[in-house]
Amino acid sequence: MADRTLEALGLAEAPREHPLSYPGMWPRDSGLLDGDRLLPLDRLVHPERVPVLAVGSNACPGQLRHKMATAGLRSPVPMTRARVTGVEVGVSAHVSPMGYMSASPFRSPDAVRELFVTWFDAGQLAVVDASEGVPLPGGHYLRVWLPASEVRIELADGTVLPGAFGYVNRRGVLLDGSGSPRPHLRDQRALLTELLLQSRGLRELFGYTAREFSRRARADPVLCEAGTRLFAEEKLVTASGFEELA
């Protein structure tokens, strides 16, 4: 029998512990996260649970395991691979005190991406909501319903979901040099290097290298807030287009 542990599958590393690995490794296919194993799914749709579209590290089993274990939860989490139309993955307009620049969706009607739908029970949803700052007035994310009229989510068997929740950054997403939303690179080192090269103010706050950026951000939440304000001051922020759904 194949070894289905996260370690054997190369999915164990959590960006919360290794920030330059963000967004972490995603599975190749749908699966059931059960403790430290990723097992085959017996079905793709779980109507008794809440569907949440994952665009960043919430699609990384190692990250999800870390969040749940920190809260003392070990109940399984179904993860369904999906073909998603209408969403692109951008860079959240805040510096995470976890030491990385996290992902956030933005509206892009013609974009087609392979993403994951995570199906949470009430306890799991509360844990992930808390990790994204949803309950806090000044938290980084809102959880909003993305209806099928806005975001088409098609599963491997052809099922189209009526919608799913998504975590949308309250501050918007970062712009690239052309005035369009900046796509999130799956290479965190490359992303941080680009941002530092393009902003002297960011270098003054966080240093000249991705490693130094991550180290300083993890050590100083106040500095993270300063970096977040800097993005807005340098007019590097735009709306995601999903704010009206909140």
Side-chain angles (χ1 to χ4, degrees):
M1 187 172 180
D3 188 344
R4 304 294 300 181
T5 63
L6 298 188
E7 188 71 33
L9 297 172
L11 301 172
E13 193 167 81
R16 286 186 158 217
E17 296 180 323
H18 305 277
L20 293 181
S21 73
Y22 185 94
M25 294 298 295
W26 294 5
R28 293 182 177 180
D29 206 348
S30 301
L32 180 70
L33 177 62
D34 186 7
D36 66 350
R37 300 180 299 164
L38 188 69
L39 306 175
L41 270 181
D42 60 354
R43 54 195 169 97
L44 299 181
V45 178
H46 300 264
E48 74 283 8
R49 289 169 169 262
V50 179
V52 182
L53 185 65
V55 302
S57 65
N58 285 333
C60 170
Q63 186 87 318
L64 278 181
R65 178 181 62 175
H66 187 281
K67 290 184 179 185
M68 298 304 166
T70 300
L73 297 182
R74 289 188 58 84
S75 51
V77 180
M79 303 178 67
T80 307
R81 191 175 177 91
R83 184 177 176 85
V84 181
T85 304
V87 167
E88 188 54 271
V89 182
V91 182
S92 297
H94 80 282
V95 179
S96 171
M98 294 295 165
Y100 46 68
M101 293 298 300
S102 55
S104 187
F106 65 87
R107 189 191 302 269
S108 183
D110 297 326
V112 180
R113 295 291 301 263
E114 292 289 324
L115 301 171
F116 276 86
V117 177
T118 49
W119 302 83
F120 297 129
D121 64 26
Q124 294 163 347
L125 183 64
V127 168
V128 180
D129 275 359
S131 75
E132 305 296 349
V134 171
L136 304 175
H140 296 306
Y141 289 92
L142 297 168
R143 176 164 52 84
V144 304
W145 180 253
L146 306 173
S149 58
E150 296 284 340
V151 177
R152 177 183 171 86
I153 303 174
E154 183 178 355
L155 307 184
D157 63 358
T159 299
V160 177
L161 298 184
F165 285 101
Y167 291 106
V168 175
N169 197 280
R170 281 183 164 104
R171 296 176 174 87
V173 293
L174 295 187
L175 291 165
D176 63 14
S178 70
S180 300
R182 175 189 291 272
H184 196 290
L185 302 178
R186 287 192 60 83
D187 185 336
Q188 183 72 191
R189 290 178 184 271
L191 173 60
L192 292 177
T193 298
E194 282 188 9
L195 293 174
L196 290 167
L197 283 173
Q198 293 169 10
S199 172
R200 177 181 177 181
L202 205 62
R203 294 193 299 274
E204 290 175 350
L205 290 174
F206 294 98
Y208 285 78
T209 69
R211 183 176 295 278
E212 182 68 8
F213 182 107
S214 181
R215 186 189 68 77
R216 292 190 188 186
R218 285 175 70 86
D220 192 342
V222 174
L223 188 64
C224 292
E225 285 299 322
T228 299
R229 290 194 300 272
L230 179 69
F231 290 136
E233 292 165 0
E234 294 190 347
K235 295 182 170 49
L236 297 176
V237 179
T238 189
S240 72
F242 290 126
E243 289 82 0
E244 63 193 51
L245 301 177

